[in-house]
């Protein structure tokens, strides 16, 4: 029963079915592992130990069947996903004491699958950042090198999985916030098609871009979790009514005849040489597996970062109006008038990056600037989507790097917002177009993981998993582990 933390979700399921371990055993070991490693990684904001152990006991009484792959499996939840009776802070002083009275839809699905939420994971404040350094509570460390950032905003979700604290976590992705930390930590991260997973109960950053997705240590585990959390939700006005296939059905290793596009813009200026080499080598691997890989162009992708920061910040400035110091969350004690309640609570409750984006968004939406900024950004967003549509007329998938660089040092870019924003240039266009995107391990540079990004057609995550699984089986990158997980790197 030792070292359960090194095992995959599917391996843990087999042990539970054979009764070699119980859900209670696994939950106890999970919390022991978290307590042992948390001082090094700082992934969690809040633990859910008492309720998790109660859930585990109930699952043991009911028994784990072979068909329910997720029963008894511990899962970590990003702290912008609302959890009933469990602190939900969005890593902000503004919500330091927010104890929700309802669950997000994904939490209902997690409980229906008999998974065990063990706690809430650290992140950039209100999901605004690319390094998990804007959190009010702590700075999460990269699982491979604790002097490096884990990426963001789902940095806690990625580091916790990569460090073996949990086998799976949920993150959210607005402009790359699942894929970039997955790349930085050498794990698998999936951002599903916009509308595939309900956003009801997610603390909104940018409502036309946000999407929940799973982070795991291999492709098969990831597909099982997406099976569980997908589906239409009447409580979410942006939820899509598409049927949910079994995402594990195509995990055969066979991709003969598949057509894959490699955009020249994704290997251009600003991409680290080692990353470019790893992606070109990945393209060769796909060719050896029987796929066709050809160069294409996505000419408007270069405008993605500018478009994203206008649209996302505008939506954020609107969404964050609700945090006013009155209904819930932080309220300043330095108040004499009603205006003081609003101004001082927001000034003291929000961090620097959140304020920066609220100001940028408010400016973009203001009278006299709306047409020049927000409207224009929306028009270019359409052109970016049309570029993808054109490529997908002829190709099944698009590949490229998940990030232009490997993980950088803590404190290195936090005072340079432009450098931080540009690190999302490869992931942002996917969110603007509402497409599914995932990152899988594809190499190393200076001992740090490199992520390969796979982009699919709308609601075609199954083909992405098919290609990702074939690549994973043909390479050994997913078997490499950081020192904290018993590896030699």
């Amino acid at each position: 029963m030792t070292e359960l933390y090194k095992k995959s979700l599917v391996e843990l399921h087999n042990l539970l079915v054979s009764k070699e371990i119980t859900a209670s055993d696994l939950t106890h070991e999970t919390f022991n592992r978290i307590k042992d490693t948390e001082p090094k990684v700082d992934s969690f904001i809040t633990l859910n130990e008492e309720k998790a152990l109660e859930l585990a006991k109930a699952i043991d009484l009911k028994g784990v069947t072979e068909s329910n792959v997720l029963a008894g499996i511990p899962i970590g939840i990003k702290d912008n996903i609302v959890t009933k009776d469990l602190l939900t802070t969005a890593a902000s002083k503004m919500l330091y004491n927010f104890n929700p009275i309802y669950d997000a839809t994904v939490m209902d699905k997690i409980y229906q699958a008999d998974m065990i939420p063990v706690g809430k994971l650290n992140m950039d404040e209100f999901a605004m950042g690319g390094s998990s350094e804007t959190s009010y509570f702590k700075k999460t460390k990269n699982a491979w090198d604790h002097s490096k950032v884990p990426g963001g905003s789902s940095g806690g979700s990625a580091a916790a999985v990569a460090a073996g604290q949990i086998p799976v976590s949920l993150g959210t992705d607005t402009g790359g916030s699942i894929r970039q930390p997955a790349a930085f930590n050498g794990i698998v991260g999936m951002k599903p098609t916009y509308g595939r997973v309900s956003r009801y109960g997610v603390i909104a950053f940018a409502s036309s871009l946000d999407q929940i997705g799973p982070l795991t240590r291999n492709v098969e585990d990831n597909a099982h979790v997406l099976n569980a959390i997908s589906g239409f939700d009447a409580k979410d006005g942006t939820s899509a009514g598409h049927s949910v296939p079994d995402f594990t059905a195509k995990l055969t290793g066979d991709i003969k005849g598949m057509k894959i596009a490699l955009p020249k813009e994704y290997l251009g200026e600003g991409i680290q040489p080692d990353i470019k080499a790893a992606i070109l080598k990945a393209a060769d691997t796909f060719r050896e597996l029987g796929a066709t890989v050809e160069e294409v162009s996505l000419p408007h992708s270069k405008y993605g970062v500018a478009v994203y920061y206008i649209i996302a910040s505008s939506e954020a400035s609107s969404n964050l109006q609700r945090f006013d110091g009155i209904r819930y969350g932080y309220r300043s004690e330095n108040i004499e008038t009603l205006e003081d309640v609003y101004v001082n609570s927001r000034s003291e409750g929000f961090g620097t990056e959140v304020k920066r984006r609220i100001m940028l968004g408010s400016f973009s939406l203001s009278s006299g600037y709306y047409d020049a900024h927000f409207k224009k950004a929306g028009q270019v967003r359409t052109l970016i989507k049309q570029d993808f549509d054109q490529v997908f007329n002829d190709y099944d998938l698009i590949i490229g790097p998940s990030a232009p660089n490997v993980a950088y040092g803590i404190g290195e870019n936090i005072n340079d917002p432009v450098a931080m924003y540009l690190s999302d240039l490869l992931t942002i266009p996917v969110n603007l177009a509402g497409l599914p995107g995932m990152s899988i391990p594809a190499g190393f540079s200076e001992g740090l993981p490199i992520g390969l990004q796979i982009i699919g057609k709308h609601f075609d995550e199954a083909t992405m998993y098919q290609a990702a699984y074939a690549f994973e089986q043909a390479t050994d990158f997913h078997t490499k582990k950081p020192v904290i997980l018993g590896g030699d790197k």
Side-chain angles (χ1 to χ4, degrees):
M1 204 182 82
T2 56
E3 298 191 330
L4 294 178
Y5 61 87
K6 290 186 178 179
K7 299 193 179 299
S8 70
L9 185 157
V10 171
E11 288 171 335
L12 292 171
H13 168 68
N14 292 333
L15 291 172
L16 288 164
V17 170
S18 66
K19 293 187 167 53
E20 290 178 59
I21 61 169
T22 64
S24 296
D25 293 334
L26 180 53
T27 305
H28 275 295
E29 176 150 335
T30 298
F31 282 108
N32 288 339
R33 174 68 180 170
I34 290 169
K35 285 163 189 171
D36 286 346
T37 53
E38 187 61 10
K40 296 176 183 173
V41 186
D42 281 326
S43 300
F44 283 87
I45 293 176
T46 306
L47 291 178
N48 188 35
E49 190 163 3
E50 189 176 337
K51 186 176 180 184
L53 291 168
E54 283 175 17
L55 286 169
K57 276 184 194 171
I59 290 164
D60 288 334
L61 284 172
K62 186 163 62 170
V64 175
T65 61
E66 196 169 337
S67 60
N68 190 357
V69 181
L70 301 178
I73 301 295
I75 183 169
I77 310 297
K78 188 175 178 180
D79 206 21
N80 61 343
I81 297 171
V82 170
T83 45
K84 185 179 180 182
D85 298 327
L86 182 63
L87 212 57
T88 300
T89 70
S92 177
K93 181 179 180 180
M94 183 61 81
L95 290 176
Y96 77 103
N97 64 352
F98 177 48
N99 206 0
I101 58 171
Y102 71 101
D103 271 318
T105 294
V106 286
M107 295 308 300
D108 290 338
K109 289 179 174 287
I110 290 297
Y111 290 125
Q112 286 163 18
D114 280 337
M115 296 190 83
I116 300 173
V118 296
K120 305 300 291 291
L121 292 155
N122 195 33
M123 54 184 280
D124 283 298
E125 183 183 7
F126 284 105
M128 298 181 191
S131 65
S132 299
E133 292 174 281
T134 69
S135 169
Y136 172 67
F137 297 99
K138 55 173 68 174
K139 288 179 172 61
T140 298
K141 321 297 191 299
N142 189 289
W144 292 78
D145 180 342
H146 305 326
S147 70
K148 307 291 185 185
V149 300
S153 60
S154 306
S157 298
V161 170
Q165 293 182 316
I166 40 176
V168 56
S169 67
L170 293 185
T172 62
D173 192 310
T174 308
S177 290
I178 286 173
R179 289 158 289 156
Q180 184 244 32
F184 279 11
N185 286 276
I187 61 171
V188 178
M190 165 65 87
K191 185 214 84 88
T193 308
Y194 183 79
R196 169 68 84 188
V197 179
S198 173
R199 294 187 305 107
Y200 178 77
V202 176
I203 296 172
F205 164 12
S207 301
S208 74
L209 300 163
D210 299 340
Q211 189 61 194
I212 299 173
L215 296 100
T216 57
R217 289 199 288 275
N218 66 47
V219 172
E220 184 182 5
D221 288 359
N222 204 280
H224 280 298
V225 181
L226 189 60
N227 278 346
I229 65 173
S230 297
F232 175 72
D233 179 18
K235 290 183 283 191
D236 174 8
T238 61
S239 180
H242 276 66
S243 60
V244 181
D246 178 359
F247 295 116
T248 65
K250 287 187 175 180
L251 303 185
T252 62
D254 181 13
I255 57 167
K256 289 184 180 65
M258 194 177 280
K259 292 192 71 181
I260 299 174
L262 179 57
K264 63 183 181 182
E265 291 83 3
Y266 285 19
L267 294 175
E269 191 180 344
I271 311 300
Q272 284 181 356
D274 285 356
I275 291 179
K276 184 175 179 180
I279 301 308
L280 291 172
K281 190 173 179 184
D284 288 339
T285 300
F286 283 120
R287 290 187 184 103
E288 289 163 11
L289 290 166
T292 302
V293 183
E294 296 173 342
E295 186 179 273
V296 298
S297 179
L298 295 170
H300 294 98
S301 61
K302 62 186 176 185
Y303 303 115
V305 172
V307 168
Y308 171 84
Y309 279 98
I310 291 171
I311 291 174
S313 297
S314 297
E315 294 184 13
S317 74
S318 177
N319 279 323
L320 269 60
Q321 286 182 45
R322 70 194 69 176
F323 303 110
D324 53 13
I326 290 179
R327 285 161 290 189
Y328 49 80
Y330 176 78
R331 178 188 287 200
S332 174
E333 294 181 3
N334 180 28
I335 52 174
E336 292 181 8
T337 66
L338 179 61
E339 185 176 343
D340 288 344
V341 175
Y342 299 142
V343 174
N344 294 351
S345 296
R346 289 170 66 83
S347 297
E348 296 166 21
F350 288 137
T352 303
E353 182 60 31
V354 175
K355 290 176 188 171
R356 182 184 289 122
R357 298 199 196 193
I358 290 173
M359 290 171 69
L360 174 60
S362 299
F363 174 78
S364 299
L365 292 173
S366 62
S367 176
Y369 295 98
Y370 178 90
D371 286 351
H373 297 291
F374 188 76
K375 184 180 177 184
K376 186 69 72 179
Q379 291 167 334
V380 179
R381 180 181 191 170
T382 300
L383 294 175
I384 290 170
K385 181 184 178 298
Q386 288 172 349
D387 284 350
F388 281 114
D389 291 344
Q390 199 164 343
V391 170
F392 281 129
N393 284 334
D394 300 313
Y395 295 90
D396 301 302
L397 297 170
I398 297 170
I399 62 169
S402 301
N405 46 268
V406 293
Y408 46 85
I410 292 171
E412 194 174 314
N413 288 338
I414 191 64
N415 296 316
D416 187 350
V418 174
M420 195 79 84
Y421 297 170
L422 287 173
S423 69
D424 291 334
L425 78 139
L426 300 167
T427 49
I428 278 171
V430 175
N431 297 73
L432 291 170
L435 294 165
M438 70 186 298
S439 180
I440 60 174
F444 292 88
S445 175
E446 300 170 15
L448 294 167
I450 293 169
L452 168 70
Q453 183 175 203
I454 301 175
I455 303 165
K457 299 176 183 178
H458 288 102
F459 299 101
D460 193 20
E461 291 88 352
T463 301
M464 297 164 63
Y465 281 127
Q466 180 184 2
Y469 184 79
F471 180 83
E472 188 180 77
Q473 296 305 299
T475 58
D476 66 351
F477 303 120
H478 68 290
T479 67
K480 308 294 185 190
K481 295 179 172 64
V483 171
I484 196 170
L485 193 53
D488 54 7
K489 281 188 174 288

